[in-house]
Amino acid sequence: MSKEEFEFIGKKIFKNRVELARLLNKNIREYTKEHSEKFTLLESESLNYRSQLIGYFGEALYKNEKEVFKSVGKWAKDVANLTIRYGISLTQILRVISLFRPVIWEIFTEELEQNRFSCNTIVEIASRFDKLIDSVFRITGEVHDQHYNELKKSASIELEELSVPVVPISSGIAVLPVIGSVDYDRAKRIMEVSLNEAIRLKLNYFIIDFSGVSIMDSIVANSLFQIAKTLQLIGVEIIITGVRPSIAHVINRSGLDFNPKIINSSLENALSDLGFKQVSTV
């Protein structure tokens, strides 16, 4: 095999990149119709991106390999981000990328039929294309994975915020209704939110209602004790309401010395003690 052979077929691919992209678009339309999948990219937009990649396949045979791989890497990142913006799944885009191979192979088949190049030359060229395709697969997958992880992290943060909802009642008074089980991580989150919101809202009284909590261990009970002590240090009076007998037993068994004044039987009673009265609608 010679450099001239590589350059000949590489430039032929580059010269015909737009026509090959049109053929690819046709194949994709047939493929997506068969699989009942729709792609929202405009025809002109998809033609431009696909012809670019086909052009890089051609340049890989007669230009600096590192530079071509760099261009292909940028192309893969741009297209992967574009597919995310258009709501195209990773599975869909990988299926489309896989269709580049048969289109490129049409040129190979033509050259083989005309006996212009040896089989060894075609195999070597195919090997280079496979490396480029593999890099596109890898980079596209990495971009989609990163996007998925960011979404998951964002959803986790939103869920955490929803799990610790501080509700202002009036000037200087707020309630934190805790629902569900409380583990160490959530207790830590409760402490962080309690301190931040107590300062932000300039609270005098902070009520934490545990009537919706079913499970709490001694470690979490200790965290609760620390929340009370810390808030008291910054001048906030903490009131704990809705403590179930099972949770009271855990607190007792832990030997924690809670001030009786900060524990109330119910949220209603605590608000009543603070001057809130039920208004009759009759």
Side-chain angles (χ1 to χ4, degrees), residues 18-226:
V18 176
E19 289 304 315
L20 289 170
R22 288 198 178 98
L23 176 61
L24 178 63
N25 280 3
K26 180 182 177 182
N27 289 354
I28 289 170
R29 282 195 298 271
E30 293 175 358
Y31 180 87
T32 53
K33 181 179 179 182
E34 178 185 349
H35 290 76
S36 300
E37 293 172 345
K38 294 181 180 180
F39 293 87
T40 51
L41 287 175
L42 296 174
E43 183 77 12
S44 58
E45 194 173 18
S46 63
L47 184 68
N48 178 53
Y49 277 107
R50 289 161 187 167
S51 63
Q52 278 182 10
L53 183 57
I54 292 171
Y56 292 141
F57 288 160
E59 290 179 339
L61 300 181
Y62 63 92
K63 285 191 173 182
N64 182 278
E65 189 176 27
K66 287 184 178 180
E67 289 301 315
V68 174
F69 265 90
K70 185 178 179 181
S71 297
V72 169
K74 183 180 182 305
W75 182 94
K77 287 181 180 178
D78 290 344
V79 170
N81 285 315
L82 186 68
T83 58
I84 289 171
R85 191 161 68 247
Y86 276 93
I88 300 172
S89 71
L90 178 59
T91 300
Q92 287 177 312
I93 187 60
L94 292 183
R95 283 174 177 169
V96 168
I97 293 170
S98 68
L99 294 176
F100 277 83
R101 280 193 173 100
V103 169
I104 297 296
W105 267 104
E106 288 204 4
I107 285 186
F108 295 162
T109 303
E110 178 187 339
E111 299 303 329
L112 284 171
E113 287 175 352
Q114 296 179 16
N115 295 315
R116 292 185 179 177
F117 301 119
S118 68
C119 289
N120 287 338
T121 298
I122 299 300
V123 168
E124 176 61 29
I125 291 173
S127 175
R128 293 194 184 188
F129 287 162
D130 283 342
K131 288 179 182 178
L132 284 174
I133 286 286
D134 288 343
S135 71
V136 173
F137 276 132
R138 177 180 56 78
I139 294 169
T140 303
E142 288 174 353
V143 172
H144 273 260
D145 279 348
Q146 182 180 359
H147 175 69
Y148 171 75
N149 289 333
E150 287 173 355
L151 285 179
K152 189 166 67 171
K153 183 178 179 181
S154 177
S156 178
I157 291 172
E158 289 178 5
L159 185 61
E160 279 188 0
E161 290 175 351
L162 288 173
S163 71
V164 191
V166 175
V167 183
I169 301 297
S170 69
S171 178
I173 302 173
V175 175
L176 169 60
V178 184
I179 300 173
S181 61
V182 181
D183 57 13
Y184 176 76
D185 289 335
R186 194 176 181 200
K188 184 179 177 182
R189 179 65 178 163
I190 290 172
M191 174 176 277
E192 291 172 355
V193 172
S194 299
L195 288 171
N196 291 336
E197 290 299 278
I199 294 170
R200 186 180 72 85
L201 297 172
K202 298 179 180 179
L203 296 181
N204 298 315
Y205 297 95
F206 189 56
I207 304 170
I208 303 180
D209 181 59
F210 284 95
S211 57
V213 176
S214 55
I215 301 173
M216 183 187 296
D217 60 23
S218 58
I219 296 176
V220 173
N222 184 63
S223 297
L224 178 62
F225 179 76
Q226 294 303 323

